Amino acid sequence: MKSFILKVILLCFLIFSCTKNKLPNRKDYTLEDKLKFTNTILKFYVDDSLVCNHLSNKLDWTSFESGFYSEEGLLLEKYAVDMKIEDIESQMGSFILNDNYNEFFPNYRLFEEDIESRSDSIFNLKNNLYYTTLPIFTDNGKFAFVGFSVISSLLSGYGEIIVFERKNNKWIEIERKQIWMH
């Protein structure tokens, strides 16, 4: 009888361990994780000293949505086939930075977007103005998508979606999809 119980326990343990390995390896990313990731993107892709550069205080996916879903980009088909649209939409919301979160972007002056500064300051910026988004992660945490754009003092610039893959606990850029250019 003891050997039968022992066999049943071992069999249950074996079945549980096999099914556990087949469960998706989903990682929940906190806002802090997303802000750190975004700061890393900015540090990597911005030229020269970051000290005098401006970061939009609104990290927003709105201008990148069409490129993300477009047939030309095929980003979702290529990297996130099984991801549900509602999961993506829930990650796409805009996020307004405030002084508490500026600690994640210590090398940037936050650009306040109001009507008054919009008309004057963009033309008077001596440095670039960076817009970025919080990253969107695939369900398994293997890929991340970040919207990134730059506007220079003469309103020239570009916008793109950058795709990253997680390999050996490091994020590596694997593709860029240009959304707009002036």
Side-chain angles (χ1 to χ4, degrees):
M1 182 69 174
K2 288 182 182 180
S3 67
F4 177 73
I5 293 174
L6 185 61
K7 288 179 183 178
V8 169
I9 291 172
L10 285 172
L11 182 62
C12 289
F13 179 73
L14 180 64
I15 290 171
F16 177 73
S17 66
C18 290
T19 56
K20 186 178 178 185
N21 291 337
K22 291 182 181 179
L23 292 175
N25 186 19
R26 184 180 175 121
K27 177 174 171 43
D28 292 322
Y29 292 93
T30 65
L31 178 59
E32 186 173 322
D33 293 331
K34 289 185 173 196
L35 287 166
K36 285 179 182 175
F37 189 98
T38 303
N39 189 32
T40 302
I41 301 304
L42 284 165
K43 284 181 180 175
F44 189 77
Y45 289 100
V46 175
D47 298 330
D48 302 325
S49 168
L50 301 177
V51 176
C52 296
N53 286 316
H54 297 76
L55 172 65
S56 168
N57 69 331
K58 186 176 182 183
L59 308 183
D60 190 7
W61 257 104
T62 308
S63 59
F64 298 95
E65 281 184 52
S66 61
F68 192 62
Y69 289 124
S70 74
E71 288 183 30
E72 303 130 16
L74 301 174
L75 293 175
L76 292 178
E77 284 185 35
K78 204 169 183 181
Y79 302 107
V81 178
D82 298 331
M83 199 165 177
K84 296 177 183 156
I85 296 293
E86 51 270 12
D87 291 340
I88 295 167
E89 296 287 338
S90 70
Q91 293 188 60
M92 274 188 166
S94 64
F95 178 74
I96 306 280
L97 294 169
N98 60 35
D99 291 338
N100 295 336
Y101 290 107
N102 200 25
E103 67 191 79
F104 290 100
F105 306 101
N107 295 322
Y108 293 86
R109 282 193 235 146
L110 295 184
F111 180 79
E112 297 296 327
E113 295 191 63
D114 56 31
I115 296 167
E116 200 173 311
S117 62
R118 228 185 151 104
S119 59
D120 295 343
S121 297
I122 288 182
F123 286 105
N124 292 326
L125 283 176
K126 294 177 182 172
N127 305 80
N128 292 332
L129 171 60
Y130 300 95
Y131 289 83
T132 185
T133 67
L134 294 176
I136 292 175
F137 295 98
T138 56
D139 288 340
N140 60 8
K142 186 175 181 182
F143 296 101
F145 307 92
V146 176
F148 180 76
S149 60
V150 181
I151 297 177
S152 73
S153 56
L154 297 175
L155 289 181
S156 61
Y158 64 92
E160 60 191 2
I161 295 174
I162 308 172
V163 183
F164 295 88
E165 184 176 10
R166 189 173 184 86
K167 291 183 179 177
N168 301 324
N169 284 330
K170 291 183 180 179
W171 288 101
I172 299 164
E173 178 191 327
I174 56 172
E175 185 174 344
R176 286 176 176 231
K177 169 69 177 153
Q178 192 166 48
I179 304 300
W180 62 271
M181 179 180 269
H182 283 246

